[in-house]
Amino acid sequence: MKEFMSYLIIIAIIAFIGFICYMIVRRSNGNTEPIFPFNNKQPVPPAPAPGGAPVNQSVNAPYEEEVETGIFTEWSVVQLDPNTGVPIKKQNLKVPENGKFTIGRSKTCSFVLDGATSQDYTSRTHLGVGKDANGYFAKPLSRGDGSIALTYIEGSLVMESFDLVDKQVIWLGNIPIAFVLNADVRKDLSFNPGSKRDEATFERDHEDTMTFSRNNVNQNSSTNVFSR
């Protein structure tokens, strides 16, 4: 019996020494993290605050995606190479409620034209896209001098709103774009863009848009609601 109790005491002492060694190793150098952390685990989002209010997360939190606002549509807008008609940029069309999706040179536009300059006769905010009871429409926007951004469809100058037509080429000055139904977007999609215009044509059409704008003072209302 005494020999059995001696074995138990020895085992208990060994277990106690092992536990002490484990604690010393675990807390060495002030490290209180697990010895074998599972780094491959995704971060666990914090629980909601009382009352359902969201908990603020760190601005450096990993895997955080930008939250986009607006109403997604079945359309995409593509910018085309003016020489080959091959799409060089594509973006889903997202129209804010009672607002407009804007296309132009300005970095503030919803869709920024790559490589476009004022020498291409494209405006900073050239075209607006909106939606009403009749569907999606686009409309050339007014410029600072009172004229209307030079926009062409099938060679004709457009100064009023028009419906979106799948794969129809629209020239914003000398930069072609098209609206494409998302179901039709393919890697091999290409267009026949047509021809660029010369400076004399743009200057003449600019005067025409000035006259049209003066005769249609409500062409581009300053209200927040974008309409035809």
Side-chain angles (χ1 to χ4, degrees):
M1 184 68 179
K2 290 183 179 180
E3 190 174 310
F4 177 74
M5 291 298 296
S6 298
Y7 282 132
L8 287 180
I9 293 171
I10 292 171
I11 293 172
I13 293 172
I14 293 173
F16 179 76
I17 293 173
F19 177 76
I20 294 298
C21 292
Y22 168 78
M23 293 302 295
I24 291 173
V25 172
R26 187 172 185 267
R27 296 184 176 273
S28 62
N29 298 324
N31 180 21
T32 59
E33 295 297 320
I35 296 175
F36 303 106
F38 294 94
N39 292 327
N40 61 332
K41 286 189 176 182
Q42 300 294 330
V44 179
V55 176
N56 290 332
Q57 298 188 38
S58 169
V59 293
N60 295 320
Y63 317 114
E64 185 176 354
E65 295 183 359
E66 180 182 356
V67 177
E68 295 184 286
T69 59
I71 301 171
F72 285 96
T73 72
E74 64 272 27
W75 293 91
S76 287
V77 56
V78 292
Q79 181 180 345
L80 312 176
D81 183 289
N83 299 312
T84 64
V86 174
I88 59 176
K89 183 177 182 180
K90 170 188 171 292
Q91 184 175 321
N92 287 332
L93 183 64
K94 184 183 58 176
V95 178
E97 187 175 1
N98 294 328
K100 60 180 177 290
F101 180 98
T102 54
I103 302 171
R105 292 189 288 115
S106 173
K107 299 299 182 184
T108 62
C109 287
S110 311
F111 184 86
V112 181
L113 297 169
D114 280 357
T117 69
S118 58
Q119 305 212 342
D120 293 309
Y121 289 86
T122 54
S123 297
R124 290 183 178 85
T125 308
H126 197 113
L127 195 72
V129 183
K131 183 183 181 183
D132 60 14
N134 296 317
Y136 293 99
F137 66 93
K139 184 178 182 180
L141 301 175
S142 291
R143 303 176 64 195
D145 62 359
S147 64
I148 299 171
L150 296 170
T151 306
Y152 301 85
I153 296 178
E154 296 180 356
S156 299
L157 179 65
V158 178
M159 291 183 277
E160 298 183 283
S161 61
F162 55 91
D163 293 325
L164 302 194
V165 176
D166 187 30
K167 303 186 192 71
Q168 184 178 63
V169 177
I170 304 159
W171 285 81
L172 309 182
N174 267 332
I175 302 294
I177 67 165
F179 295 103
V180 183
L181 288 168
N182 286 333
D184 293 339
V185 174
R186 304 184 305 274
K187 290 182 179 179
D188 61 346
L189 191 67
S190 63
F191 302 77
N192 179 11
S195 303
K196 291 185 177 182
R197 286 159 186 80
D198 57 27
E199 185 176 354
T201 300
F202 285 128
E203 293 299 329
R204 183 191 66 239
D205 290 344
H206 174 264
E207 292 301 320
D208 289 344
T209 68
M210 290 280 286
T211 301
F212 179 87
S213 184
R214 283 193 292 266
N215 294 334
N216 296 269
V217 293
N218 294 322
Q219 165 68 11
N220 286 296
S221 173
S222 60
T223 62
N224 291 329
V225 177
F226 184 61
S227 60
R228 294 179 187 261

